[in-house]
Amino acid sequence: MAGNCDICGEKLGFRKFHCQDGVVCKKCYAVVSNGFTETITKKTLAELKKTYEANAVPLDLGEDGFVVTRKIQSLLLIDEQNKKFCISGNPTVSKEYSRPEIYHYEDLMGYMLMCEPELTPEELVHLKEDKKTVKVIKKLKVRMKIKGVGIKDLVVLASPVRSSTYAFRKSYQVAMDILKELNAIKEA
């Protein structure tokens, strides 16, 4: 069984490294083993976490920092004072860990709602409002184009659900809230 990394939460594949009371992925192992120069088998998970916090590259908050003034759940954080936004990975939704990424308002070049299977915005609204029509929605995400970075996906719904369920309607509403905030950022 694969499991998840005990430090970052990322799903473990073939490459996993054992300590006394846990398992870490290759990326975290690179940090806690000082660039693959030490073994971790005799260290505890608590020791590894302490080493990780000391050695991991810190987030670049910029010279003026980042102050959360608004947020959409824990997915999108907004700093209106410094005109920045933070895309924070949500492992409970996307099933994978990613470090938060901070951008300036002007870095946002575009955004759109993506759905699997591919549906128009009108079809999604119809599915949200009509509980009798049932369609399986495999994924729902907001795709952003960020200057200098490229495409970033903010996954709102990662597991298949029926369109008639509360889970779909709630995920759709979160996606709409994110789009509304991105629109405000773009217009600022």
Side-chain angles (χ1 to χ4, degrees):
M1 193 140 203
N4 293 343
C5 174
D6 290 323
I7 293 178
C8 71
E10 186 172 307
K11 190 171 184 171
L12 293 169
F14 178 71
R15 296 271 183 192
K16 54 188 170 191
F17 302 87
H18 295 271
C19 63
Q20 282 184 351
D21 54 350
V23 183
V24 299
C25 67
K26 186 175 180 179
K27 287 191 299 185
C28 290
Y29 180 72
V31 174
V32 298
S33 69
N34 292 320
F36 303 107
T37 60
E38 300 174 8
T39 60
I40 63 168
T41 55
K42 294 184 177 162
K43 295 183 179 182
T44 66
L45 191 55
E47 291 172 316
L48 294 182
K49 285 182 178 180
K50 190 174 181 182
T51 303
Y52 183 86
E53 288 174 15
N55 295 339
V57 177
L59 291 176
D60 181 13
L61 301 177
E63 56 190 50
D64 47 358
F66 189 91
V67 178
V68 178
T69 56
R70 284 200 327 262
K71 66 180 185 172
I72 306 296
Q73 293 187 348
S74 61
L75 297 170
L76 182 67
L77 310 175
I78 312 291
D79 178 352
E80 296 167 298
Q81 298 166 357
N82 298 309
K83 296 195 180 287
K84 295 180 185 177
F85 65 99
C86 175
I87 302 168
S88 68
N90 187 349
T92 57
V93 173
S94 64
K95 309 295 186 231
E96 59 186 46
Y97 174 82
S98 62
R99 292 188 72 182
E101 299 174 31
I102 297 173
Y103 302 102
H104 291 276
Y105 280 12
E106 62 266 12
D107 294 337
L108 181 64
M109 298 174 70
Y111 54 90
M112 64 189 288
L113 182 62
M114 306 270 308
C115 178
E116 289 177 27
E118 196 171 312
L119 298 170
T120 65
E122 294 80 20
E123 290 172 317
L124 279 170
V125 169
H126 175 73
L127 286 176
K128 179 188 169 270
E129 294 172 355
D130 181 14
K131 295 178 188 172
K132 293 181 181 178
T133 303
V134 179
K135 190 169 193 104
V136 174
I137 305 299
K138 294 180 182 176
K139 190 175 271 190
L140 193 61
K141 60 189 173 185
V142 175
R143 176 162 284 175
M144 294 168 274
K145 186 172 183 185
I146 311 272
K147 186 185 340 174
V149 176
I151 302 296
K152 284 287 178 186
D153 288 337
L154 193 51
V155 179
V156 179
L157 179 67
S159 302
V161 296
R162 292 184 313 276
S163 62
S164 59
T165 64
Y166 175 77
F168 169 72
R169 290 191 307 278
K170 182 67 176 167
S171 298
Y172 178 80
Q173 187 56 53
V174 168
M176 293 290 93
D177 291 345
I178 291 170
L179 291 174
K180 182 180 172 186
E181 286 298 328
L182 292 176
N183 192 49
I185 286 171
K186 197 79 169 123
E187 291 177 356

